[in-house]
């Protein structure tokens, strides 16, 4: 269980109870060295998703290397409906072809706790690229 307290919202600070996280929050695009909730969500989502992808590969007996996940989280605003998030997850999977990377990415999306939490709540687009294996002839 993670325990983080944020004071003053987007213009405040966030600190974890164990002291490992202590950072300044700011609005998206701020140039003052602060982070924002969208960056933090993207970091957590991409880390969790990468672990889920590696777990799926192991479960399915697929050897992968150099797994990376880029999470692009956007804070959107719709008139009359307020703010909402959307996300694009782009995976790069070493040691497999594009088709295998796509399959692993789709399976990871079913396993990842962040994907489960956001299912039906935010639009999540998946992109996958293999990086290293040739397709079977």
């Amino acid at each position: 269980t993670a325990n983080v307290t944020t004071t003053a919202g987007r213009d405040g600070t966030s600190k974890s109870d164990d002291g490992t996280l202590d950072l300044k929050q700011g609005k998206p695009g701020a140039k003052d060295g602060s982070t924002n909730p969208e960056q933090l969500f993207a970091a957590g989502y991409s880390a969790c998703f990468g672990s889920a992808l590696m777990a799926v590969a192991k479960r399915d007996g697929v050897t992968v290397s150099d797994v990376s996940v880029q999470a692009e989280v956007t804070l959107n605003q719709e008139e009359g409906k307020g703010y909402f998030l959307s996300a694009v997850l782009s995976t790069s999977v070493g040691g497999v072809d594009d088709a295998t990377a796509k399959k692993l990415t789709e399976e990871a999306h079913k396993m990842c706790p962040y994907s489960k939490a956001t299912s039906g709540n935010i639009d999540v687009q998946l992109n996958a690229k293999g990086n290293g294996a040739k397709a079977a002839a």
Side-chain angles (χ1 to χ4, degrees):
T1 300
N3 189 340
V4 175
T5 301
T6 300
T7 57
R10 288 183 178 269
D11 294 317
T13 59
S14 295
K15 295 179 182 179
S16 62
D17 63 341
D18 64 3
T20 60
L21 183 72
D22 185 354
L23 50 86
K24 181 179 176 183
Q25 293 274 10
K27 293 178 178 62
K31 304 291 185 205
D32 61 359
S34 62
T35 189
N36 61 65
E38 292 73 33
Q39 288 174 326
L40 295 170
F41 184 79
Y45 201 169
S46 61
C48 187
F49 198 90
S51 291
L53 193 148
M54 290 185 287
V56 166
K58 183 176 181 179
R59 177 196 72 194
D60 294 351
V62 178
T63 301
V64 299
S65 62
D66 302 320
V67 172
S68 68
V69 180
Q70 177 186 1
E72 180 181 315
V73 175
T74 302
L75 177 63
N76 304 281
Q77 184 176 17
E78 187 173 351
E79 191 172 325
K81 295 186 179 183
Y83 293 95
F84 64 98
L85 298 175
S86 61
V88 177
L89 300 177
S90 299
T91 62
S92 177
V93 185
V96 299
D97 60 25
D98 288 347
T100 303
K102 180 179 179 185
K103 181 181 179 204
L104 292 171
T105 298
E106 290 169 350
E107 288 298 310
H109 193 48
K110 295 175 187 174
M111 178 186 281
C112 176
Y114 277 70
S115 291
K116 289 178 181 180
T118 61
S119 180
N121 297 310
I122 71 171
D123 179 44
V124 178
Q125 177 185 331
L126 302 175
N127 299 315
K129 179 182 174 194
N131 186 11
K134 295 180 182 176

